[in-house]
Amino acid sequence: MSVQNLYPSRIAQIYDLLYPDFFDDIATLCDFMHSRTAGTRVLEYGVGTGRIALPLAQSGFEVTGLDISTDMLTILKEKDTEGLVKVVEQDFIGEPAEGTFDAVLLMINTLFVAKTLDEQIAVFRNAAAALADDGFFLVETFNPNQYHGLRKPDAQMRQLSEEITQLEQYVVEPTRQLLISQNLVLQNGDQFNYTHVLRYLFPLEMDAVARIAGLVVAERWADWGTTPFGPDSPRCLSLYRKEQAK
């Protein structure tokens, strides 16, 4: 089992535009992490261009980042001029990471790139194996409620910059819980397209997968400012800890 490289060169170049920090969300995440982490050792699965790993490292964490996209990691290394983030070119499904960590992070729906139940269980088991006894596994996903009921394609246009526009179409296969996004990127008279397929989980399903890996949900929020999670929350932020022996 391994993660498919979803971010070849052309997508890697616009990745930070796809996920901008509009609401100072990353600074709030750093505060959230400092308030809950017993130590400083952090492992991020799917570290990408370092949009989260770098601010965490700059705030005092010792960050290791895993990713299989050479293009994404090249951008991270260019941004990380001080070498704050330890980069490992490796997937997070088939191979457990070396070392023990106080926190393992899986951000921006990256759990859902694991397209089978077995792969999603493997992600949680790898995270549990990497955690210190008082560590936690932090998972950020979208709330499936906003997509699961779609019965026809849904489309939108995003202006990523003055020169770049992305057209997006979403299709759901509800019986398999697949969200398929087809994307067309227009840039300075050029264009390219790409498709992503995500297998989403509802929060209670994630909790069941976590249980198989020996983890239990300790907190669930709608944002890093700890707004309570509800059925209409766009995001689901789940913090898992090791199940204590009874």
Side-chain angles (χ1 to χ4, degrees), residues 54-99:
L54 272 172
L56 285 173
Q58 290 162 351
S59 73
F61 288 104
E62 304 169 51
V63 182
T64 298
L66 268 58
D67 210 294
I68 62 167
S69 171
T70 302
D71 296 297
M72 296 278 272
L73 294 179
T74 296
I75 294 173
L76 189 161
K77 292 172 184 176
E78 290 172 352
K79 292 161 61 175
D80 186 13
T81 56
E82 298 179 55
L84 297 176
V85 178
K86 179 183 177 182
V87 171
V88 181
E89 190 166 340
Q90 175 185 319
D91 75 64
F92 52 84
I93 296 177
E95 306 174 63
E98 293 185 4

Side-chain angles (χ1 to χ4, degrees), residues 180-196:
I180 301 111
S181 68
Q182 298 171 309
N183 307 277
L184 175 64
V185 179
L186 308 173
Q187 181 176 8
N188 295 327
D190 190 14
Q191 67 180 49
F192 67 93
N193 59 70
Y194 64 96
T195 300
H196 281 173

Side-chain angles (χ1 to χ4, degrees), residues 9-223:
S9 178
R10 298 195 75 173
I11 306 174
Q13 290 169 9
I14 64 170
Y15 182 82
D16 287 343
L17 297 175
L18 292 170
Y19 300 101
D21 187 18
F22 279 131
F23 305 108
D24 201 26
D25 203 39
I26 295 175
T28 311
L29 167 60
C30 291
D31 293 340
F32 182 97
M33 290 287 294
H34 279 289
S35 70
R36 286 160 174 80
T37 312
T40 61
R41 301 164 299 176
V42 173
L43 173 66
E44 185 182 357
Y45 289 160
V47 68
T49 63
R51 64 180 294 276
I52 291 171
L54 272 172
L56 285 173
Q58 290 162 351
S59 73
F61 288 104
E62 304 169 51
V63 182
T64 298
L66 268 58
D67 210 294
I68 62 167
S69 171
T70 302
D71 296 297
M72 296 278 272
L73 294 179
T74 296
I75 294 173
L76 189 161
K77 292 172 184 176
E78 290 172 352
K79 292 161 61 175
D80 186 13
T81 56
E82 298 179 55
L84 297 176
V85 178
K86 179 183 177 182
V87 171
V88 181
E89 190 166 340
Q90 175 185 319
D91 75 64
F92 52 84
I93 296 177
E95 306 174 63
E98 293 185 4
T100 301
F101 300 88
D102 302 297
V104 178
L105 274 60
L106 188 55
M107 303 284 97
I108 321 177
N109 315 317
T110 306
L111 171 63
F112 297 160
V113 304
K115 296 184 182 65
T116 69
L117 178 60
D118 285 343
E119 288 186 350
Q120 290 169 339
I121 291 172
V123 172
F124 274 83
R125 281 179 168 158
N126 285 342
L131 285 176
D133 288 342
D134 57 355
F136 61 82
F137 182 31
L138 188 59
V139 183
E140 176 190 18
T141 68
F142 61 77
N143 183 353
N145 282 354
Q146 61 187 312
Y147 295 109
H148 188 65
L150 285 178
R151 293 299 178 266
K152 59 182 181 180
D154 187 30
Q156 67 176 8
M157 181 179 73
R158 295 174 62 191
Q159 193 71 40
L160 302 183
S161 71
E162 291 184 3
E163 299 83 17
I164 305 174
T165 301
Q166 177 162 287
L167 307 178
E168 305 171 350
Q169 178 176 272
Y170 297 95
V171 178
V172 170
E173 207 292 83
T175 61
R176 297 169 61 199
Q177 295 184 191
L178 297 179
L179 175 66
I180 301 111
S181 68
Q182 298 171 309
N183 307 277
L184 175 64
V185 179
L186 308 173
Q187 181 176 8
N188 295 327
D190 190 14
Q191 67 180 49
F192 67 93
N193 59 70
Y194 64 96
T195 300
H196 281 173
V197 179
L198 303 178
R199 182 185 185 273
Y200 56 86
L201 292 171
F202 287 89
L204 290 182
E205 292 177 309
M206 271 200 301
D207 297 348
V209 170
R211 284 273 186 178
I212 294 171
L215 299 172
V216 293
V217 63
E219 301 181 39
R220 175 160 287 136
W221 306 103
D223 57 40

